[in-house]
Amino acid sequence: MTNIDLAKSKNEDAMKLLIGQMNLRLNKIHQGGGEKKIAKLHAKGKMTARERIRALLDEGQPTFEVGAFAGDGMYPEYGGCPSGGVVVVLGYIAGRLCVVVANDATVKAGAWFPITGKKNLRAQEIAMDNRLPIIYLVDSAGVFLPMQDEIFPDKEHFGRIFRNNARMSAMGIPQIAAIMGSCVAGGAYLPIMSDEALIVEGTGSIFLAGPYLVKAAIGEDIDQETLGGATTQSEISGVTDYKMPDDATCLKTIRDLVAKSGHPPKIGFDRTKATPPAAPIDDILGLIPEERTKPYDTRALLNHLIDASTFTEYKAGYGKTIICGYARIEGWSVGIVANNRQVVKNAKGEMQFGGVIYSDSADKAARFVMNCNQKRIPIEFLHDVTGFMVGSRSEHGGIIKDGAKMVNAVSNSTVPKFSIVMGNSYGAGNYAMCGKAYDPRLIVAWPTAKIAVMGGTQAAKVLLQIQVASRKAKGETISVEDEAKILQEIENRYQQQTTPYYAAARLWVDAIIDPRKTRTVISMGIEAANHGELDKFNPGILQT
């Protein structure tokens, strides 16, 4: 075995370990509030959120879960909030791509934490951006009262969801809601502001105020079923449209409603018959070095992702630290912008560090993004970037101006953008490569991803200098040993904040994925985008 083969084998083992750790965490998260809570739900004749989604979606079709790690490690004082207490999946119902949002009643009775609201808004954003039908499977106790100040009143809080309900109706985006458990107070507006509402007899209930609050407010004694159960809301008030005997019938009826919906026009992104990559997708696991500072062949990595490994490279000899070009993924025509992690020489014979964006690279990428917009080609950004080049030579050469051109092009790009964070995504490099702030239709991370304003070692040294200077200003003395201890503490804390799990918990990325699933995620993303707004694209805006 050659040294190259040994390195690949070592890298593959390291990646498989990371994937295994990821799957173990996911398995725990999928248990929601735990086995006892699941058993309690089943005893009431109810399915769990994930069981409901599985029954609703087409069997054997690909799915993409958004925000599985949302809330991971957050709210320890309240016992945590697995998946943010709500499950969001992009999948197929009767052959049609839909967004499904299901409250997890095993997590604090489906109550809304701040991250729950953020995740619901992300689900609605995906539906609105791509004009996809959205299905709500409601089973929630409403706002988590101990944190009401962080979920109720602000612009991106609970009320924004109902505003989005109204906006989606105006946009012609189908919304179907099933009341499969509690639906109380402000949360009652979500299903009723949808286009059609179903309610499950015996377990579903919907009202602005529950029996206890009614008693406290007006002195009326009334039970939950009489106040807002399925019979009341379907036959007396007319609030709901369909009364269902159980979860299974309810989900089957939703499938029937979706199946009978009309087919809206599509944008028409180019697609041909899919062809597997010439380089086996499984072998991609051995390409990312275990030691993240080591260079690697980004073009070789692309050969494992694109159809037939056929790549038409744009400006191959210019701006070499970014690779741009056209390819196909699962048959879809795509433009690719990828950070080149190899050390290269520019036209002047000067060495350029891999993963760093130089002025010529930024200029090339900006022009390429404009071209993709002109031709209505979706863009895939593959991150492994440490940032823009710094130092006097770069500053004198106008790196800020050239970087601004790239950021401007990405900001104004109207074709669908997708971001894959393979490795580092630091500083302004994250922005230029279409980080979360730049509206990618989907943004996912590999287990090797790191997202932060700068690398951990550099950041720790900067923070150490600040702490040392502050103490010295107070007349305190610090030994070399103390400095080393402080540096280690800072670096440990900072490194924890750069992990993909930290990012995914806060929905800075939509998911952490096995690299071998990258093609499927991109394909589903483009298919979703193909349902989008026909008159949204205005490529001329980028040419001004």
Side-chain angles (χ1 to χ4, degrees):
M1 185 178 283
T2 66
N3 288 337
I4 294 176
D5 291 333
L6 283 169
K8 283 186 176 180
S9 179
K10 185 179 178 183
N11 295 339
E12 183 176 342
D13 288 344
M15 181 68 86
K16 284 182 175 178
L17 179 61
L18 291 175
I19 293 169
Q21 292 169 345
M22 176 188 75
N23 288 332
L24 282 173
R25 294 177 75 148
L26 276 175
N27 289 339
K28 184 178 180 180
I29 286 169
H30 287 174
Q31 293 298 307
E35 291 182 3
K36 289 184 179 179
K37 294 285 179 67
I38 293 172
K40 189 176 180 181
L41 211 63
H42 287 164
K44 295 178 180 178
K46 296 166 69 174
M47 298 179 180
T48 66
R50 294 182 187 278
E51 288 168 345
R52 287 168 175 167
I53 291 175
R54 280 196 296 271
L56 181 61
L57 296 180
D58 294 351
E59 192 174 351
Q61 290 296 308
T63 61
F64 174 69
E65 183 172 349
V66 178
F69 287 100
D72 186 42
M74 299 171 69
Y75 317 120
E77 67 274 32
Y78 299 115
C81 186
S83 275
V86 62
V87 183
V88 175
V89 174
L90 187 64
Y92 297 85
I93 301 175
R96 299 151 193 255
L97 200 53
C98 299
V99 178
V100 183
V101 181
N103 299 114
D104 187 347
T106 69
V107 180
K108 295 290 188 294
W112 289 57
F113 284 71
I115 196 66
T116 317
K118 186 174 183 179
K119 186 170 174 179
N120 274 266
L121 288 172
R122 177 59 177 148
Q124 290 183 320
E125 180 182 35
I126 290 170
M128 287 190 286
D129 282 347
N130 301 292
R131 291 183 173 261
L132 295 177
I134 184 166
I135 316 298
Y136 307 100
L137 307 180
V138 185
D139 194 346
S140 171
V143 167
F144 186 62
L145 289 178
M147 302 189 76
Q148 64 85 26
D149 60 320
E150 296 182 45
I151 180 62
F152 171 68
D154 209 349
K155 180 179 178 180
E156 299 297 334
H157 282 178
F158 198 53
R160 188 78 170 185
I161 290 161
F162 314 137
R163 175 262 193 192
N164 286 349
N165 288 140
R167 289 292 299 273
M168 281 191 278
S169 288
M171 294 167 68
I173 298 170
Q175 300 177 82
I176 299 173
I179 301 157
M180 309 182 81
S182 296
C183 187
V184 64
Y189 287 106
L190 185 148
I192 307 311
M193 291 189 74
S194 299
D195 302 304
E196 294 182 281
L198 305 86
I199 187 167
V200 178
E201 197 169 7
T203 56
S205 60
I206 178 169
F207 30 63
L208 290 181
Y212 293 119
L213 185 53
V214 168
K215 174 68 175 177
I218 63 173
E220 180 183 3
D221 284 309
I222 190 167
D223 65 86
Q224 182 166 305
E225 192 65 24
T226 305
L227 181 64
T231 299
T232 296
Q233 300 294 23
S234 295
E235 299 177 12
I236 299 175
S237 71
V239 165
T240 57
D241 306 306
Y242 307 91
K243 184 170 75 169
M244 299 285 106
D246 50 44
D247 279 12
T249 307
C250 182
L251 298 169
K252 184 177 181 297
T253 304
I254 293 172
R255 286 183 56 81
D256 186 57
L257 293 172
V258 173
K260 289 181 171 61
S261 299
H263 293 269
K266 296 183 180 179
I267 292 172
F269 296 125
D270 187 66
R271 191 178 197 185
T272 60
K273 184 179 179 180
T275 306
I281 187 67
D282 286 352
D283 292 350
I284 201 171
L285 301 183
L287 297 184
I288 300 285
E290 182 182 12
E291 294 180 36
R292 298 299 299 111
T293 56
K294 287 187 175 181
Y296 61 88
D297 189 347
T298 306
R299 287 182 181 82
L301 185 146
L302 290 178
N303 287 336
H304 296 266
L305 293 177
I306 60 180
D307 288 13
S309 303
T310 301
F311 187 60
T312 305
E313 189 164 354
Y314 174 79
K315 290 184 179 289
Y318 176 72
K320 295 180 181 178
T321 63
I322 286 185
I323 298 169
C324 300
Y326 303 103
R328 290 190 183 275
I329 293 179
E330 292 291 341
W332 294 103
S333 171
V334 298
I336 291 175
V337 179
N339 301 115
N340 186 4
R341 279 302 308 270
Q342 290 183 310
V343 178
V344 297
K345 284 185 180 180
N346 63 15
K348 298 176 182 178
E350 300 166 330
M351 301 302 295
Q352 293 184 331
F353 299 105
V356 178
I357 303 176
Y358 290 76
S359 287
D360 53 357
S361 307
D363 174 67
K364 177 173 81 171
R367 291 169 184 263
F368 181 71
V369 167
M370 294 178 192
N371 288 346
C372 287
N373 275 260
Q374 192 71 29
K375 294 186 281 191
R376 291 192 176 188
I377 298 175
I379 308 171
E380 321 301 324
F381 292 85
L382 303 177
H383 297 221
D384 199 344
V385 57
T386 53
F388 285 87
M389 190 59 190
V390 298
S392 59
R393 175 177 288 187
S394 293
E395 298 293 355
H396 297 170
I399 186 67
I400 296 175
K401 176 189 67 178
D402 292 316
K405 287 179 184 176
M406 184 177 175
V407 171
N408 184 58
V410 173
S411 300
N412 284 307
S413 174
T414 56
V415 295
K417 306 182 293 284
F418 302 89
S419 285
I420 313 295
V421 186
M422 306 183 302
N424 302 324
S425 189
Y426 292 155
N430 171 274
Y431 299 162
M433 292 294 293
C434 195
K436 184 65 182 291
Y438 293 80
D439 296 324
R441 294 296 178 94
L442 294 175
I443 177 170
V444 300
W446 289 0
T448 44
K450 287 187 177 294
I451 301 172
V453 72
M454 65 177 72
T457 302
Q458 300 94 313
K461 289 179 179 177
V462 171
L463 291 168
L464 174 65
Q465 291 174 23
I466 293 170
Q467 283 203 26
V468 169
S470 175
R471 293 193 182 187
K472 286 183 177 179
K474 296 176 183 178
E476 299 176 12
T477 58
I478 301 178
S479 67
V480 174
E481 291 78 12
D482 285 342
E483 278 196 28
K485 184 179 179 181
I486 294 169
L487 178 64
Q488 188 62 55
E489 289 174 354
I490 293 172
E491 191 163 351
N492 289 344
R493 184 174 67 251
Y494 194 89
Q495 292 289 8
Q496 177 61 32
Q497 294 174 354
T498 68
T499 68
Y501 297 103
Y502 193 90
R506 289 151 183 81
L507 290 174
W508 301 344
V509 296
D510 292 316
I512 307 171
I513 66 167
D514 183 326
R516 293 168 293 192
K517 296 182 179 178
T518 303
R519 281 169 53 84
T520 300
V521 171
I522 291 173
S523 179
M524 287 189 72
I526 299 176
E527 183 179 349
N530 204 32
H531 292 77
E533 194 173 350
L534 282 168
D535 60 356
K536 182 175 182 179
F537 298 100
N538 179 18
I541 193 172
L542 295 180
Q543 306 298 340
T544 58

